[in-house]
Amino acid sequence: MNQINPDQILSSEEIKAAKDAFEAYDKMGYGTLEVEELQKILEEFGHKPSKEELQQMITQVDVKNKGFIDFEDFKRAIAIYKIIEEDNEEDDTLDAFVAMGGNADKSGTVDATKLIQIIKSDFKMTIDIEVKMHKYLLRD
């Protein structure tokens, strides 16, 4: 993951937010952050990296073992965490698909009645799922 280009992974809004957060924690204006500050910033972004994930990010971005993170390292760390989150989200979606009757190889189908029942009863969502599903099915 050291080869990743954060500018291709992060949106311009995410890069601006990362720059703002980086500068807010770079109190001395040296253009660097300590490793502990990375976790605080990630938490401000709403991420809760495990110690293992945080250590993995640090190892991947601080390849010269400087003991601190500059902005380019920081952007790479944010991009890595975004990739990890997207992978986890995809895994969760596949798990839900399988639990509802689909196959692990992403084939198969899910019964619409069962899906509606789960959305309304189990998750107590108030959206009009029948209308949304009908509109989606008409698109195909």
Side-chain angles (χ1 to χ4, degrees):
M1 281 203 194
N2 192 30
Q3 312 282 358
I4 67 168
N5 182 347
D7 295 323
Q8 292 177 341
I9 296 169
L10 302 174
S11 69
S12 58
E13 294 83 17
E14 290 170 322
I15 292 172
K16 182 181 179 338
K19 183 72 171 167
D20 291 345
F22 185 89
E23 289 174 350
Y25 275 88
D26 181 22
K27 305 253 189 250
M28 301 301 285
Y30 295 139
T32 62
L33 295 177
E34 298 298 319
V35 173
E36 298 79 27
E37 293 167 323
L38 174 61
Q39 183 170 9
K40 291 176 186 174
I41 293 172
L42 288 171
E43 288 173 358
E44 283 186 17
F45 275 93
H47 307 299
K48 301 277 188 205
S50 67
K51 289 183 181 186
E52 294 80 24
E53 288 172 331
L54 186 60
Q55 190 56 50
Q56 180 183 9
M57 277 189 277
I58 293 164
T59 301
Q60 290 173 343
V61 299
D62 185 18
V63 293
K64 296 180 183 175
N65 293 319
K66 304 175 299 252
F68 59 84
I69 298 170
D70 61 24
F71 183 64
E72 288 304 311
D73 295 338
F74 181 67
K75 280 197 312 187
R76 194 166 26 271
I78 298 294
I80 289 168
Y81 197 74
K82 183 176 180 178
I83 291 168
I84 290 169
E85 279 194 327
E86 287 171 354
D87 288 346
N88 290 343
E89 190 173 298
E90 185 176 322
D91 290 345
D92 291 346
T93 302
L94 180 58
D95 290 344
F97 179 69
V98 170
M100 293 180 44
N103 301 318
D105 66 358
K106 300 181 183 177
S107 67
T109 59
V110 172
D111 181 273
T113 305
K114 186 176 184 179
L115 177 61
I116 291 169
Q117 185 262 329
I118 289 171
I119 289 171
K120 287 186 163 188
S121 299
D122 297 351
F123 290 105
K124 308 270 189 264
M125 296 179 79
T126 58
I127 62 171
D128 193 353
I129 190 65
E130 291 93 346
V131 171
K132 291 192 181 294
M133 286 183 71
H134 182 70
K135 285 181 184 178
Y136 176 76
L137 293 173
L138 290 176
R139 285 191 345 208
D140 294 340

